[in-house]
Amino acid sequence: MPPAKRRRVAEASEAPTEQATQQGTTHHKPTDVPSQAAPELEDRPDGSTNNVAPKLASGVVEKNKERQDRFKALQARAKKSAERNLKEAAAESQRLATDPNLLSSLSRKQAFASHNLLKADTAAAGEDFERKRAWDWTIEESEKWDKRMEKKGRHREDVAFQDYRQDSRKVYKRQLREMKPDVEGYEKQKMEAVQKAALSGGLEIVETDDGELVAVDKNGTFYSTADSTDFVENKPDRAAVDRLVTDLRKAEESRLRKRRDRGKGDEEGDVTYINDKNQAFNKRLKRFYDKYTSEIRDSFERGTAI
């Protein structure tokens, strides 16, 4: 409340009290004094009014509205998350209740039944079943399938150990399948080498009639030959070295695992057997007669046998 208004209200409330005291009466006329005076607009010297209170009220309303909007958005988000979690929980429970082995068995049985039914219908009609089946495939797909089956058969026959050369070939092919060349890095290094050779004058870039750029080696030093030794200056990056170390470690672990599976890793002493069956027989003999022959065997090994 402005100071001038507060003084006027105080004077108006004190005047009836003094008048009632002087007359000595117990009843006095009530004065209509409001408990809180309504804010009034203060006149400024320049003739303008103070608009602070309306601005504060509008700011509070906007803030409350923003809070309500955010609360509604959070409620909608929570509801959407609850619905999604409920759907995922229902799908998970249904997946756990269904046996995948049973589904695969049913699908396999259905495929066999449809195959046998088609074969029976084709035989009843007097047609060739394999020829009718081939109608559903193109020549390229058929040749691709035949190559795949032939390759699968060769791999199946090539599982057993034949010789160390074949074993090394299989390891080499497996490493080729697992190798992931960095084509982008190769192209980048290639362009850097071409630009460096072109700036030094050892390589000339010639544009053909069809617009293709061809690199021409002037003095025969850019492209590698059988006598080139520039590869010894190549320094591989850290990732390539780590990949090589990982491959060597995997190969060593595989070799030790195969050796342990063959029973040679934990073997102590001399080898007294020629195959697995003879090894089992010798162990049986050792279990029953070792307590009688240990002294004689030790004497033979020391050379003091009588």
Side-chain angles (χ1 to χ4, degrees):
M1 179 186 298
K5 186 64 177 179
R6 189 182 296 111
R7 286 196 297 270
R8 288 199 298 271
V9 172
E11 292 174 359
S13 61
E14 291 175 1
T17 306
E18 294 177 356
Q19 184 178 359
T21 305
Q22 292 176 1
Q23 292 178 0
T25 59
T26 57
H27 301 283
H28 59 84
K29 187 181 297 182
T31 58
D32 298 336
V33 180
S35 59
Q36 294 182 355
E40 295 182 359
L41 298 178
E42 181 183 359
D43 296 335
R44 293 183 179 180
D46 56 357
S48 61
T49 58
N50 188 7
N51 297 328
V52 177
K55 289 183 179 179
L56 291 176
S58 61
V60 171
V61 171
E62 291 179 358
K63 194 171 183 179
N64 293 335
K65 186 177 180 181
E66 183 180 356
R67 288 180 178 178
Q68 289 180 359
D69 295 340
R70 270 195 307 180
F71 182 68
K72 290 181 180 179
L74 290 175
Q75 283 183 335
R77 185 178 178 183
K79 184 178 179 181
K80 187 177 180 180
S81 300
E83 292 177 354
R84 186 172 63 254
N85 292 338
L86 183 60
K87 291 181 180 179
E88 291 180 357
E92 182 70 16
S93 62
Q94 185 178 2
R95 186 183 65 82
L96 294 176
T98 306
D99 189 7
N101 297 328
L102 181 60
L103 291 178
S104 61
S105 177
L106 290 176
S107 61
R108 187 168 55 253
K109 289 180 180 179
Q110 183 180 3
F112 287 160
S114 60
H115 176 79
N116 294 332
L117 181 61
L118 180 61
K119 189 174 183 179
D121 294 342
T122 306
E127 299 176 355
D128 189 2
F129 176 68
E130 294 297 334
R131 183 179 180 183
K132 188 173 183 179
R133 283 187 62 191
W135 290 350
D136 298 334
W137 308 95
T138 61
I139 297 177
E140 291 79 5
E141 292 174 347
S142 180
E143 292 179 353
K144 186 177 179 180
W145 177 260
D146 293 339
K147 290 182 180 179
R148 180 181 177 184
M149 290 293 102
E150 184 180 358
K151 185 177 180 181
K152 190 174 181 180
R154 289 199 307 266
H155 287 176
R156 190 184 299 111
E157 296 174 357
D158 199 22
V159 172
F161 176 79
Q162 299 176 4
D163 53 14
Y164 289 103
R165 181 180 178 183
Q166 292 294 106
D167 195 17
S168 301
R169 183 182 62 84
K170 289 190 294 184
V171 172
Y172 174 71
K173 285 192 173 183
R174 184 177 68 249
Q175 291 178 352
L176 285 181
R177 289 194 301 267
E178 295 176 355
M179 186 178 64
K180 298 179 180 178
D182 188 7
V183 181
E184 184 178 356
Y186 168 74
E187 293 294 338
K188 184 178 179 180
Q189 293 180 3
K190 181 179 177 181
M191 292 303 299
E192 291 178 356
V194 169
Q195 292 178 0
K196 184 177 179 181
L199 292 176
S200 62
L203 194 68
E204 182 181 0
I205 307 299
V206 179
E207 185 177 0
T208 59
D209 297 336
D210 55 356
E212 183 180 1
L213 297 178
V214 179
V216 179
D217 192 0
K218 289 184 177 181
N219 51 9
T221 58
F222 179 74
Y223 293 104
S224 300
T225 60
D227 300 330
S228 300
T229 58
D230 296 338
F231 62 90
V232 297
E233 300 178 359
N234 182 29
K235 185 178 180 181
D237 55 354
R238 185 72 178 180
V241 175
D242 293 341
R243 186 166 58 251
L244 176 61
V245 173
T246 303
D247 294 340
L248 293 177
R249 187 180 294 112
K250 286 182 179 180
E252 184 67 17
E253 291 176 356
S254 177
R255 187 183 66 82
L256 294 177
R257 184 174 60 253
K258 291 181 180 179
R259 181 180 179 88
R260 186 170 55 251
D261 294 341
R262 289 195 302 265
K264 295 182 180 180
D266 301 332
E267 184 66 24
E268 295 181 359
D270 298 333
V271 177
T272 60
Y273 55 89
I274 58 175
N275 51 32
D276 295 339
K277 188 175 181 180
N278 183 243
Q279 181 185 9
F281 180 74
N282 291 344
K283 286 183 178 179
R284 193 179 302 112
L285 291 178
K286 185 177 179 180
R287 185 169 61 250
F288 287 103
Y289 298 103
D290 194 22
K291 56 183 178 180
Y292 304 110
T293 60
S294 59
E295 185 177 354
I296 299 174
R297 186 169 58 253
D298 294 340
S299 298
F300 273 114
E301 290 177 358
R302 290 193 305 266
T304 58
I306 299 174

